[in-house]
Amino acid sequence: MQTLHFTFGPVQDFVAQARKTRDLWAGSYLLSYLAGKAMLAIIAKKGEITLPPVKEDKLLEIIKNPKKADKTNPAVRIGSLPNRFTAKVPDNVDGKVCEEAVEKAWRSISDAVLNKIDLHRRKIDASTWRRQIDNFWDYQWVLGEETHLLDQRKNMRCHLPKPESGEKCTICGERKELSNLPPSPLVISKINQWWDRAKFMETRSDLNAGERLCAVCLTKRWLPLVAEETFHWRIFKGFPSVSYMAAVDWLIRLIEASKSNPDLLNAAEAFIGEVKKNIRDSSKQYQIEFPELEKRLLANNFSRKQDTIFDIIDLDGTLFHMDAVSSKDLEVTQGGNLEDVKRALRKLNHQLGEGDSSGPGASPFFALLLMDGDKMGKLVSRFNKAKRQQISNALKQFTDTVPDTVSKHAGWLIYAGGDDVFALLPLDRALACAIACRRDYCNAFAQEAAFVEDAHATISAAIEYAHMKTPLGPLIKDAHRLLDEVAKEHTGRDSVACRVWKRGGPILTWAQPWEKILYDQENISGSAQKDNMDIGKDFSEIRGNIISDVRMAFQHDSDDPAKFSSKFFYKLRDLFDFAKNGDLFSAADFCDLLTAEYLANREHQWDQELTTEEIRENAAARVKKLILLCTKFIRRIKTDETKDLSVEITQNGYQADGALLVRFLSQKEV
């Protein structure tokens, strides 16, 4: 037997080339499915997958036996197999069997898409289709015990696809779109006409107006339509959009409040009535399958056949946002009036207690979460076969916990395999979800691979907070950079990095090691410990982390963001910039300066029973938390003469973006 290391790609570009959450999910799921086909090819040749642990992987099980793919099996919608694996193979077997398995499965899926297009009487040039499909994947594999051999092979970069001329795909921008029209001065107009007349779509989700796709991107987009004949199990077609994800917390509040509030239920019924009256095909879109929302509805005794709230969670996410209800994003019925829909939404927000009669309603922001174990390849290479198996068991235990953790935080899990997590979440639940996943990761190593030092059994995270109009592709690529460059390299791993995107692009970046985020509050206020997992009433963040605690402190211990000290935070960037200009004053002096500025703030009326000194002590305690949040830390692992490991965390100035992140999370603005 010999050791095979195999991988294929591209990965990040394939997933990131997405305009919809449907594209995003399909790219990730396709990679997992094709990896599973490669693994099964090895197993069929009497080989064994040694890393990652796949013996009980649910996705691999249903690829092998599709009869196990019932709708309750999470593998029908969650990818769990990585594109890179290690296997023991017989001496006459190498990576070519994996290549052949991936190509066969990939062609089967793409051919099914092409055949479905042909059924709609819109012929695609076969040579263009075959060229784009057959030359897409880049395979790398090596035989040998050393894990670094594959990395060396990847650096050779032998796969160089030829550039394509002509008008490009509107998603990837790399490959030629499929109309195959010859160049001419009016080529764009003619291409758009060709695609407008291409009636090969069941709903707007299958092909949007103005889209021109290549074979690869169209195969991803149409994966749910051909899955049953290629995978031999059904894949859901209703994907929550980013506008829907931004509104999930609003939907949860609506679900929880409706059963005990008849006026709210009446407002919901009126809203649904106006939507059906004024929005074309509003009831014919793919039903969104969001298990956590359905679970909450059933827990509140709602019935899908009888209750209006079930109708609301099936709507296009655009309809939950006042500013997005426009003819640009929605198809209006003949004689329809979007103002009637807006009025009904305003009344619904008002009944829900969302402010004044104009109703701020659902947030326009959502969160994207990436997590990745730190230096996993290097960690595995340090140990023998038995201990590698224990590490594999730890990773499997972690992977098994992720779907439930993300669901509890009302998220939409895209991928969970080995040490990787990729999910979309509501704005106010992303940090809590990352903290819970990190806890589960550490627990898994403590239980299954306790010989791994705590300093090495770590995982880093990147959270992108983005406006729902932010293009998905650039956001996903930036999330990988945020994870690799900011959380891992600059901050020193076992860290989390957060970035906020408004419609014009990124506006702030903040990062700290987990040790500082999950700090021991007794050092500051004598209150809750870092493992306190209470969930807040509205913003759903775990208590005992520095971000949530600063947020609560400057909302004056209230869940009401209206009580947030906004004017004080508005001045903070200038104050922190002032603190950078040389050693003008000590840390204690800087704390006194911020405390004085905070006390001068007129937004909050202190309890009249407090003395002046008590007010100052209270203000100083809050400012200390704020300074801790805004301190830059760098984490490093040290080894002493006895080869014992220790973690050293050093300060490296201040970052005002920490305060601005808290302001954003509280008020959804910077």
mmCIF file of all heavy atoms in Angstrom, residues 69-85:
data_model
loop_
_atom_site.group_PDB
_atom_site.id
_atom_site.type_symbol
_atom_site.label_atom_id
_atom_site.label_comp_id
_atom_site.label_asym_id
_atom_site.label_seq_id
_atom_site.Cartn_x
_atom_site.Cartn_y
_atom_site.Cartn_z
ATOM 1 N N ALA A 69 -31.123 9.090 1.110
ATOM 2 C CA ALA A 69 -31.239 10.553 0.987
ATOM 3 C C ALA A 69 -32.669 11.024 1.186
ATOM 4 O O ALA A 69 -33.252 11.647 0.313
ATOM 5 C CB ALA A 69 -30.709 11.002 -0.370
ATOM 6 N N ASP A 70 -33.258 10.749 2.352
ATOM 7 C CA ASP A 70 -34.588 11.296 2.624
ATOM 8 C C ASP A 70 -34.441 12.751 3.049
ATOM 9 O O ASP A 70 -33.345 13.222 3.368
ATOM 10 C CB ASP A 70 -35.296 10.482 3.711
ATOM 11 C CG ASP A 70 -34.569 10.548 5.041
ATOM 12 O OD1 ASP A 70 -34.839 11.487 5.812
ATOM 13 O OD2 ASP A 70 -33.714 9.671 5.301
ATOM 14 N N LYS A 71 -35.551 13.476 3.043
ATOM 15 C CA LYS A 71 -35.495 14.927 3.250
ATOM 16 C C LYS A 71 -35.038 15.325 4.650
ATOM 17 O O LYS A 71 -34.661 16.470 4.872
ATOM 18 C CB LYS A 71 -36.848 15.559 2.944
ATOM 19 C CG LYS A 71 -37.964 15.152 3.887
ATOM 20 C CD LYS A 71 -39.263 15.852 3.492
ATOM 21 C CE LYS A 71 -40.401 15.510 4.441
ATOM 22 N NZ LYS A 71 -41.644 16.207 4.070
ATOM 23 N N THR A 72 -35.052 14.385 5.608
ATOM 24 C CA THR A 72 -34.582 14.696 6.959
ATOM 25 C C THR A 72 -33.075 14.556 7.086
ATOM 26 O O THR A 72 -32.495 14.962 8.087
ATOM 27 C CB THR A 72 -35.256 13.782 7.993
ATOM 28 O OG1 THR A 72 -34.893 12.411 7.729
ATOM 29 C CG2 THR A 72 -36.772 13.917 7.923
ATOM 30 N N ASN A 73 -32.432 13.989 6.066
ATOM 31 C CA ASN A 73 -30.989 13.794 6.098
ATOM 32 C C ASN A 73 -30.303 15.117 5.747
ATOM 33 O O ASN A 73 -30.474 15.628 4.640
ATOM 34 C CB ASN A 73 -30.589 12.704 5.097
ATOM 35 C CG ASN A 73 -29.134 12.279 5.249
ATOM 36 O OD1 ASN A 73 -28.295 13.050 5.670
ATOM 37 N ND2 ASN A 73 -28.846 11.044 4.894
ATOM 38 N N PRO A 74 -29.507 15.684 6.661
ATOM 39 C CA PRO A 74 -28.886 16.994 6.375
ATOM 40 C C PRO A 74 -27.946 16.966 5.176
ATOM 41 O O PRO A 74 -27.641 18.006 4.593
ATOM 42 C CB PRO A 74 -28.126 17.314 7.666
ATOM 43 C CG PRO A 74 -27.931 16.003 8.360
ATOM 44 C CD PRO A 74 -29.121 15.180 7.995
ATOM 45 N N ALA A 75 -27.497 15.771 4.783
ATOM 46 C CA ALA A 75 -26.556 15.673 3.660
ATOM 47 C C ALA A 75 -27.179 16.069 2.336
ATOM 48 O O ALA A 75 -26.457 16.353 1.378
ATOM 49 C CB ALA A 75 -26.007 14.250 3.563
ATOM 50 N N VAL A 76 -28.507 16.120 2.247
ATOM 51 C CA VAL A 76 -29.124 16.513 0.976
ATOM 52 C C VAL A 76 -29.011 18.016 0.743
ATOM 53 O O VAL A 76 -29.336 18.485 -0.354
ATOM 54 C CB VAL A 76 -30.613 16.087 0.911
ATOM 55 C CG1 VAL A 76 -30.756 14.591 1.062
ATOM 56 C CG2 VAL A 76 -31.446 16.815 1.958
ATOM 57 N N ARG A 77 -28.521 18.756 1.719
ATOM 58 C CA ARG A 77 -28.369 20.197 1.498
ATOM 59 C C ARG A 77 -27.097 20.802 2.073
ATOM 60 O O ARG A 77 -26.818 21.970 1.847
ATOM 61 C CB ARG A 77 -29.575 20.966 2.050
ATOM 62 C CG ARG A 77 -29.688 21.023 3.543
ATOM 63 C CD ARG A 77 -30.889 21.868 3.969
ATOM 64 N NE ARG A 77 -30.923 22.120 5.391
ATOM 65 C CZ ARG A 77 -30.314 23.135 5.991
ATOM 66 N NH1 ARG A 77 -29.608 23.983 5.288
ATOM 67 N NH2 ARG A 77 -30.404 23.305 7.298
ATOM 68 N N ILE A 78 -26.291 20.000 2.790
ATOM 69 C CA ILE A 78 -25.080 20.541 3.409
ATOM 70 C C ILE A 78 -23.870 19.750 2.934
ATOM 71 O O ILE A 78 -23.770 18.542 3.149
ATOM 72 C CB ILE A 78 -25.153 20.478 4.950
ATOM 73 C CG1 ILE A 78 -26.327 21.311 5.462
ATOM 74 C CG2 ILE A 78 -23.853 20.993 5.559
ATOM 75 C CD1 ILE A 78 -26.587 21.147 6.938
ATOM 76 N N GLY A 79 -22.933 20.447 2.274
ATOM 77 C CA GLY A 79 -21.687 19.815 1.880
ATOM 78 C C GLY A 79 -20.811 19.550 3.079
ATOM 79 O O GLY A 79 -20.743 20.356 4.002
ATOM 80 N N SER A 80 -20.120 18.397 3.083
ATOM 81 C CA SER A 80 -19.281 18.056 4.235
ATOM 82 C C SER A 80 -17.956 17.417 3.839
ATOM 83 O O SER A 80 -17.151 17.091 4.713
ATOM 84 C CB SER A 80 -20.035 17.085 5.159
ATOM 85 O OG SER A 80 -20.410 15.910 4.452
ATOM 86 N N LEU A 81 -17.722 17.230 2.536
ATOM 87 C CA LEU A 81 -16.504 16.567 2.084
ATOM 88 C C LEU A 81 -15.562 17.591 1.453
ATOM 89 O O LEU A 81 -15.952 18.307 0.531
ATOM 90 C CB LEU A 81 -16.842 15.470 1.073
ATOM 91 C CG LEU A 81 -17.695 14.322 1.618
ATOM 92 C CD1 LEU A 81 -18.173 13.444 0.480
ATOM 93 C CD2 LEU A 81 -16.907 13.501 2.638
ATOM 94 N N PRO A 82 -14.319 17.667 1.919
ATOM 95 C CA PRO A 82 -13.376 18.639 1.368
ATOM 96 C C PRO A 82 -12.806 18.176 0.030
ATOM 97 O O PRO A 82 -12.807 16.978 -0.279
ATOM 98 C CB PRO A 82 -12.282 18.706 2.432
ATOM 99 C CG PRO A 82 -12.296 17.346 3.056
ATOM 100 C CD PRO A 82 -13.741 16.901 3.040
ATOM 101 N N ASN A 83 -12.303 19.116 -0.735
ATOM 102 C CA ASN A 83 -11.746 18.789 -2.045
ATOM 103 C C ASN A 83 -10.340 18.196 -1.942
ATOM 104 O O ASN A 83 -9.755 17.801 -2.946
ATOM 105 C CB ASN A 83 -11.689 20.042 -2.929
ATOM 106 C CG ASN A 83 -10.687 21.061 -2.391
ATOM 107 O OD1 ASN A 83 -10.745 21.456 -1.221
ATOM 108 N ND2 ASN A 83 -9.754 21.476 -3.221
ATOM 109 N N ARG A 84 -9.801 18.134 -0.736
ATOM 110 C CA ARG A 84 -8.452 17.589 -0.520
ATOM 111 C C ARG A 84 -8.535 16.440 0.471
ATOM 112 O O ARG A 84 -9.179 16.565 1.516
ATOM 113 C CB ARG A 84 -7.522 18.680 0.005
ATOM 114 C CG ARG A 84 -6.120 18.201 0.357
ATOM 115 C CD ARG A 84 -5.218 19.371 0.689
ATOM 116 N NE ARG A 84 -3.886 18.920 1.111
ATOM 117 C CZ ARG A 84 -2.804 19.690 1.116
ATOM 118 N NH1 ARG A 84 -2.892 20.955 0.733
ATOM 119 N NH2 ARG A 84 -1.633 19.222 1.512
ATOM 120 N N PHE A 85 -7.881 15.318 0.150
ATOM 121 C CA PHE A 85 -7.895 14.191 1.075
ATOM 122 C C PHE A 85 -6.638 13.347 0.906
ATOM 123 O O PHE A 85 -5.908 13.450 -0.087
ATOM 124 C CB PHE A 85 -9.150 13.335 0.896
ATOM 125 C CG PHE A 85 -9.330 12.750 -0.476
ATOM 126 C CD1 PHE A 85 -8.753 11.536 -0.828
ATOM 127 C CD2 PHE A 85 -10.091 13.413 -1.426
ATOM 128 C CE1 PHE A 85 -8.921 11.001 -2.095
ATOM 129 C CE2 PHE A 85 -10.279 12.885 -2.692
ATOM 130 C CZ PHE A 85 -9.684 11.668 -3.028
#
